[in-house]
Amino acid sequence: MQITETSDLWWKSAVIYCLDIETFLDANGDGSGDLGGLARRMDYLNELGITCLWLMPFYPSPDRDDGYDIVDFYGVDPRLGNHGELVEVIRTAHDRGIRVIADLVINHTSDKHPWFREARRSKDNRYRDFYVWRDTPPPDTHTQVVFPDKETSVWQFDERTEEWYLHHFYKYQPDLNTSNPDVRREILRIIGFWLQLGIDGFRVDAVPYFLSSDKTSPSESMPGDPHLVLKSIRSFLERRKGSAMMLGEVNLPYDQQLAYFGGEAGDELNQMFDFVGMQAAYLSFAREDATPLKEALLARPPIHATCAWANFLRNHDELTLDKLSESERQEVFDAFGPEENMQLYGRGLKRRLPSMLGGDPRRIRMAYSLMFSLPGTPALYYGEEIGMIEDLEAEGRMAVRTPMQWSDRPNGGFSTTEPRHLVQRLVPDGGSPEHINVARQRHEGDSLWNFIRDLIGLRRTCNELGWGEVSILDQPAPSVLAHRCDLPGAAIIAVHNLASEAVTIDLSVDALTSETMEGDPDGPKPVPFVCVDLWGPHRVELENGVLRVALPAYGYRWFRILEADDLDAP
Ligand code: NOJ
């Protein structure tokens, strides 16, 4: 690996942190988080060690889908601040070496967006074709809706023009017609605009939906393969900013996901969340058996060298379990969300991780250590660093979108307003800021916050995990995942025990391979190596090439194998 590559393809070495400005910190005391608050917390994020900040939608919005219903793609919601403050936030982040990516929601707009208001005025309005219409009654599409608690069809009748418009999500989120070249041009302008203001890339919302084949208009159709649309967006992005990237939300089986990386060419999304691996991890946690996760890792398709997976345990949506079989999903429900008010849409859980794992600190740390050690890039959701839990009484997915808990001061230090003016109430009872907050945990040596900070620091020194070749190591304990990520001249071995029973395993450690010199007829050669315990850190002796690892209940260890004469060897 060349040192230049790690900074060039920065998303392969990043630690991502997602937050919603609205619930992070309220600087002006109106009850809603804002850009001023985020700027104030940039040193906090830097201290935590994250390297990429993913901002959830900050655009003007009626806020019926937490900002994913946008009325102006070029604006900043005045409740959060203005363009000037956003540019300050980006600059403050860049000064600390943190990149900023923004949610890019191009599958749909709000029904209050001026384009849609125009489009529904008449069938010959110039914006009509910005959306997808049909003039005959739609077939039954109730199995295709994303939010079955609120919608029964992906088509909604429009009284005025007596046609139906397509909406894959809520009916107030009409789908944009990506087959219309004017829409595609507009999408590029939006991307260009935010790059110009300093944004480093995008988390692209609902990618398979905006490429779906039902988006054709009478005048135009998608240019052949819908993936050409994604390729043209990627090439525009790179023309405008060579280091910019796109991290896509593509919750599809692995074989279908590969196409969204651009297959062998790697010319579409640079990065995708690993939804399949995440769901397999929860099944493994539920069973205390690493097999499902192991199988998922082995089933990951090989991806282009410039592409990467993003690993995560939670995000702002329900914990979706839609890729598991019905009985597997039931196992996870039984283990982590048996009550009806914990479940959502029949496919997921409206909970955060610590409560699902019964608040057991050993298990919670093991889960994060595991997620951070998986090949790819770790992504955290705000509040995970202190073990925030959900507010089960909040409506739907809002359960996991409560304000950040900074201290045990009123409103958890999030805002100085009256509680009734808060954008959302803080988690009550056992999960309240009185019990769980940043201020306390920063000063407690053994807190989750300090653990996560150490974990981030460690992960940032382990490029093998973002760049290396993964292999699953043979060992007899079903509860253990032992995997290895290799680069020429260095490797990481990570070992995680998912069960409450202690276990000791023997791992046979293969030699490292050297960097191949150009023109070297013999190819890579094995090199003498040593083994270092990275949580120590100290050297570990192997016996006849065997590494003996004793893991307590929910124990975890990370080792580095490095050349014996490497200057980093202790
Ligand atoms: C996916 C987002 O993660 C979710 O929060 C949103 O509701 C839908 N896309 C629609 O934008």
Side-chain angles (χ1 to χ4, degrees):
M1 173 183 52
Q2 298 294 319
I3 199 75
T4 48
E5 286 174 349
T6 52
S7 52
D8 201 25
L9 307 173
W10 57 267
W11 52 91
K12 286 173 76 80
S13 317
V15 178
I16 301 170
Y17 186 96
C18 167
L19 63 84
D20 190 353
I21 297 164
E22 193 180 46
T23 49
F24 203 56
L25 181 70
D26 170 18
N28 66 6
D30 66 356
S32 166
D34 44 43
L35 284 157
L38 174 54
R40 246 194 241 175
R41 287 292 181 263
M42 205 56 80
D43 283 320
Y44 166 81
L45 295 172
N46 191 35
E47 187 186 0
L48 194 58
I50 60 115
T51 64
C52 173
L53 187 56
W54 154 21
L55 299 180
M56 286 172 62
F58 48 72
Y59 315 99
S61 161
D63 219 16
R64 296 181 70 187
D65 182 17
D66 210 22
Y68 284 93
D69 46 330
I70 295 169
V71 292
D72 177 5
F73 288 114
Y74 298 97
V76 172
D77 194 317
R79 287 177 310 117
L80 309 179
N82 57 36
H83 287 99
E85 286 168 301
L86 179 69
V87 169
E88 283 307 307
V89 158
I90 297 170
R91 200 199 137 92
T92 316
H94 286 174
D95 277 349
R96 286 153 183 75
I98 297 174
R99 290 181 166 93
V100 183
I101 64 173
D103 237 295
L104 181 70
V105 188
I106 48 182
N107 176 65
H108 48 265
T109 66
S110 157
D111 62 349
K112 301 286 180 291
H113 193 290
W115 298 339
F116 193 67
R117 284 180 190 270
E118 282 293 317
R120 72 196 315 188
R121 282 164 100 91
S122 71
K123 289 184 194 162
D124 54 11
N125 187 282
R126 62 180 281 244
Y127 286 101
R128 186 74 175 176
D129 264 4
F130 266 47
Y131 296 88
V132 185
W133 300 90
R134 62 179 294 143
D135 55 9
T136 52
D140 179 4
T141 53
H142 82 275
T143 55
Q144 293 172 36
V145 301
V146 178
F147 301 118
D149 58 332
K150 295 280 187 315
E151 305 296 346
T152 51
S153 168
V154 299
W155 293 98
Q156 176 65 23
F157 187 64
D158 180 57
E159 301 283 344
R160 183 156 172 177
T161 54
E162 298 190 320
E163 286 188 340
W164 288 260
Y165 63 85
L166 180 70
H167 63 89
H168 279 109
F169 295 92
Y170 295 109
K171 58 170 78 63
Y172 52 80
Q173 288 167 317
D175 273 39
L176 280 166
N177 176 10
T178 338
S179 71
N180 179 341
D182 288 337
V183 170
R184 294 203 299 270
R185 262 191 290 278
E186 198 65 53
I187 290 173
L188 297 187
R189 265 196 289 271
I190 294 162
I191 292 173
F193 177 81
W194 293 108
L195 290 179
Q196 203 74 27
L197 284 191
I199 288 288
D200 298 289
F202 300 92
R203 178 268 186 189
V204 193
D205 189 62
V207 181
Y209 294 96
F210 85 81
L211 295 187
S212 87
S213 56
D214 45 14
K215 300 202 170 176
T216 51
S217 66
S219 52
E220 295 282 342
S221 60
M222 286 273 198
D225 178 358
H227 282 276
L228 293 178
V229 174
L230 200 49
K231 287 185 200 298
S232 72
I233 293 178
R234 165 73 182 273
S235 82
F236 174 84
L237 183 87
E238 280 186 5
R239 280 201 308 279
R240 286 295 169 93
K241 196 179 209 172
S243 62
M245 63 80 123
M246 291 192 291
L247 161 58
E249 183 200 28
V250 180
N251 180 9
L252 290 177
Y254 283 140
D255 53 341
Q256 294 173 44
Q257 230 177 337
L258 188 58
Y260 292 82
F261 279 123
E264 281 179 18
D267 58 357
E268 296 184 30
L269 298 169
N270 309 80
Q271 191 162 27
M272 270 184 258
F273 293 105
D274 183 358
F275 279 93
V276 173
M278 179 278 289
Q279 300 183 39
Y282 276 94
L283 185 59
S284 278
F285 293 152
R287 290 183 179 168
E288 304 209 340
D289 178 344
T291 313
L293 179 56
K294 203 187 296 181
E295 286 170 356
L297 285 175
L298 290 170
R300 271 183 176 184
I303 55 178
H304 191 272
T306 60
C307 294
W309 297 100
N311 301 308
F312 67 109
L313 287 171
R314 284 302 289 118
N315 64 17
H316 61 286
D317 288 326
E318 79 281 6
L319 162 61
T320 182
L321 301 167
D322 64 342
K323 296 290 172 286
L324 301 181
S325 71
E326 213 168 304
S327 65
E328 290 168 340
R329 184 160 46 247
Q330 194 55 48
E331 280 181 67
V332 180
F333 280 172
D334 291 345
F336 301 138
E339 314 285 325
E340 210 173 304
N341 69 342
M342 299 169 173
Q343 301 170 6
L344 214 49
Y345 317 129
R347 62 165 185 256
L349 293 167
K350 49 182 274 197
R351 306 196 77 189
R352 282 182 177 254
L353 177 108
S355 42
M356 290 193 275
L357 299 187
D360 185 335
R362 302 166 306 171
R363 214 176 175 191
I364 294 166
R365 288 169 198 218
M366 179 276 293
Y368 283 111
S369 166
L370 175 63
M371 190 266 275
F372 269 68
S373 74
L374 294 178
T377 307
L380 284 172
Y381 178 53
Y382 79 93
E384 289 198 276
E385 70 271 36
I386 50 169
M388 270 172 63
I389 65 167
E390 68 282 350
D391 177 2
L392 280 178
E393 278 169 39
E395 158 81 15
R397 293 171 293 165
M398 300 313 282
V400 298
R401 299 171 178 178
T402 57
M404 181 69 178
Q405 300 178 182
W406 293 106
S407 68
D408 59 7
R409 305 221 324 255
N411 300 325
F414 161 71
S415 171
T416 53
T417 192
E418 294 280 314
R420 66 198 159 96
H421 295 312
L422 287 175
V423 61
Q424 197 181 334
R425 77 166 184 175
L426 284 116
V427 177
D429 311 323
S432 72
E434 205 186 310
H435 304 282
I436 301 174
N437 68 64
V438 172
R440 178 182 315 157
Q441 291 196 23
R442 278 179 71 211
H443 294 111
E444 282 173 2
D446 193 31
S447 66
L448 182 62
W449 189 87
N450 271 300
F451 168 76
I452 296 282
R453 196 193 52 167
D454 289 349
L455 183 61
I456 293 173
L458 179 58
R459 174 62 186 78
R460 286 180 58 179
T461 67
C462 296
N463 276 326
E464 295 93 330
L465 299 174
W467 291 73
E469 184 115 347
V470 64
S471 50
I472 306 288
L473 303 181
D474 269 347
Q475 49 78 34
S479 69
V480 171
L481 180 74
H483 66 283
R484 169 169 168 154
C485 293
D486 269 87
L487 284 175
I492 300 284
I493 291 178
V495 193
H496 290 82
N497 177 15
L498 275 57
S500 56
E501 296 273 310
V503 60
T504 297
I505 56 160
D506 284 341
L507 295 172
S508 73
V509 179
D510 287 346
L512 288 169
T513 48
S514 61
E515 203 109 38
T516 330
M517 294 297 161
E518 231 170 293
D520 181 347
D522 302 332
K525 298 177 199 53
V527 291
F529 62 89
V530 293
C531 177
V532 178
D533 182 336
L534 289 176
W535 285 94
H538 50 77
R539 198 186 274 209
V540 181
E541 296 307 329
L542 309 189
E543 265 178 53
N544 300 324
V546 170
L547 174 62
R548 172 153 291 193
V549 190
L551 296 160
Y554 306 120
Y556 52 86
R557 305 277 290 276
W558 293 26
F559 302 94
R560 172 170 276 129
I561 310 295
L562 72 175
E563 292 183 24
D565 58 1
D566 192 312
L567 290 179
D568 288 336

